[in-house]
Amino acid sequence: MSAVTDESVQIPDERILRSSAVRSLLSRPELGSVVGAVAVFLFFAFAADGFLRASSLSTVLYASSTIGIMAVPVALLMIGGEFDLSAGVMVTSSALVSSMFSYQMTANVWVGVGVSLLVTLAVGAFNGFVLTRTRLPSFIVTLGTFLMLTGMNLGFTKLIDDTVSTKTIADMEGFPAARDVFASTLTVGGVNIKITIFWWLGLVALASWILLRTRAGNWIFAVGGNEDAARAVGVPVARTKIGLYMGVALGAWISGQHLLFSYDAVQSGEGVGNELIYIIAAVIGGCLITGGYGSAVGSAVGALLFGMTSKGIVFAEWNPDWFKFFLGAMLLLATLLNAWVRRRAEAAK
């Protein structure tokens, strides 16, 4: 047996390892949003008294979760190259269907919850089906759905309840159990934590697993990167896009049930404009409008930025009228930072 010479032992170059690690870090779509989140956290930690209290951080997480539950599926849809302008009012539609069906049919509220799930998923499937069959831009398709849902929310509520809000269902069978699932408050270490935070984290974990560990995740990136090329290699483009729109509908159903069981009644005009906030959270988190790039974790960080800013302004006792200004500034800065990070990552390849 011949001896192994020193020359035959391959020792990796530490400079190459460091370069590879930096390149991998720079390629992460959520890097810019993480840097921004750290900066915003430190800023309000010094500028707002009480921001670092456990109760205050719980409030921030709750505000973030109400956006994040929708930002996660919206981010997946944007990675797939599309977006949904009906997402905000779909949340209200989901809550209205649950409430009115349960009240009018004098049924257990879980029946209304189940019917709402089916109706909301049908709306998402409708968006995806029309988009894939007509090849119309998602802006046109979902704008039409947005307008139809807005009118139906108001029209049906007035027709059935003779007012712009639903009747209370707090005294109906099944309400306490449904509230525990969708709108309860847990106490951990003396701090109240809303259950929506766990819904949010669960959706982030599920979406990340789909994107990074499944064939469907590869399809989503492929469809968003180049739809024609994806179709040419056998990716089921239509099925993928319909599934993504149904994912947004699922998020809208969860958010809608939280809305209903938090207040036991729903205003028919709620939700208008929230779709832009969901898209902003996804973009701040690193998603590109052009598709093919982004992450579920990034959307969570974008939602967290939204929560820290909205509540940080309150804790700092600033005029809340400036909130939209800060939100717009965050959007521009995050987009510029994400573009710079992506250019650096491409240059390092």
Side-chain angles (χ1 to χ4, degrees):
M1 181 181 295
S2 59
V4 178
T5 61
D6 292 340
E7 289 78 4
S8 65
V9 179
Q10 298 294 326
I11 301 176
D13 191 328
E14 292 183 358
R15 293 170 297 177
I16 296 177
L17 292 176
R18 285 197 299 268
S19 175
S20 177
V22 171
R23 188 183 305 131
S24 177
L25 179 62
L26 288 175
S27 66
R28 295 301 306 166
E30 63 271 10
L31 175 61
S33 60
V34 170
V35 173
V38 172
V40 170
F41 178 84
L42 293 176
F43 176 77
F44 282 115
F46 288 100
D49 292 336
F51 182 77
L52 294 180
R53 292 174 186 162
S55 58
S56 300
L57 294 178
S58 175
T59 302
V60 168
L61 287 176
Y62 172 59
S64 303
S65 69
T66 57
I67 301 301
I69 287 173
M70 285 300 295
V72 171
V74 166
L76 264 63
L77 181 63
M78 292 182 67
I79 295 171
E82 308 294 345
F83 60 96
D84 192 346
L85 292 179
S86 67
V89 292
M90 200 188 304
V91 172
T92 306
S93 299
S94 171
L96 289 172
V97 171
S98 291
S99 178
M100 288 191 290
F101 190 90
S102 298
Y103 187 86
Q104 296 299 322
M105 300 300 176
T106 61
N108 187 299
V109 297
W110 283 107
V111 176
V113 169
V115 171
S116 175
L117 175 61
L118 296 177
V119 171
T120 310
L121 289 177
V123 173
F126 171 81
N127 279 337
F129 179 78
V130 172
L131 179 83
T132 55
R133 294 290 291 182
T134 65
R135 299 291 186 91
L136 288 172
S138 56
F139 174 84
I140 298 297
V141 173
T142 59
L143 178 60
T145 309
F146 162 81
L147 294 173
M148 288 189 293
L149 289 178
T150 302
M152 290 173 64
N153 289 349
L154 180 60
F156 274 115
T157 306
K158 280 191 170 182
L159 178 66
I160 294 174
D161 292 325
D162 294 323
T163 182
V164 295
S165 65
T166 61
K167 301 290 193 302
T168 179
I169 60 171
D171 57 346
M172 296 191 66
E173 184 181 355
F175 184 89
R179 182 176 54 196
D180 289 342
V181 173
F182 295 106
S184 61
T185 301
L186 308 177
T187 302
V188 179
V191 179
N192 293 330
I193 300 177
K194 293 287 188 178
I195 198 170
T196 51
I197 298 173
F198 297 100
W199 277 103
W200 175 36
L201 295 178
L203 287 175
V204 172
L206 176 62
S208 297
W209 176 76
I210 291 173
L211 284 176
L212 303 177
R213 294 289 184 267
T214 69
R215 181 186 300 177
N218 293 332
W219 291 347
I220 293 170
F221 280 109
V223 168
N226 190 318
E227 180 179 328
D228 293 331
R231 186 178 288 108
V233 297
V235 173
V237 173
R239 190 170 60 183
T240 300
K241 290 194 175 185
I242 292 173
L244 288 172
Y245 275 104
M246 292 182 72
V248 174
L250 177 63
W253 173 74
I254 296 171
S255 295
Q257 305 318 296
H258 171 67
L259 176 66
L260 171 61
F261 292 107
S262 293
Y263 303 104
D264 71 56
V266 185
Q267 295 287 331
S268 60
E270 292 185 21
V272 176
N274 285 349
E275 62 281 345
L276 296 179
I277 295 177
Y278 307 146
I279 293 173
I280 288 172
V283 172
I284 290 176
C287 291
L288 297 180
I289 296 293
T290 53
Y293 190 78
S295 71
V297 173
S299 73
V301 179
L304 182 61
L305 267 165
F306 178 93
M308 287 193 295
T309 303
S310 62
K311 297 306 176 183
I313 289 175
V314 174
F315 294 139
E317 298 182 351
W318 295 346
N319 188 338
D321 294 339
W322 287 92
F323 169 67
K324 290 292 180 66
F325 169 82
F326 285 107
L327 188 61
M330 280 198 309
L331 173 63
L332 289 176
L333 290 175
T335 303
L336 291 172
L337 182 58
N338 289 336
W340 176 81
V341 168
R342 196 178 185 202
R343 285 196 301 268
R344 289 295 300 270
E346 291 173 349
K349 291 181 179 179

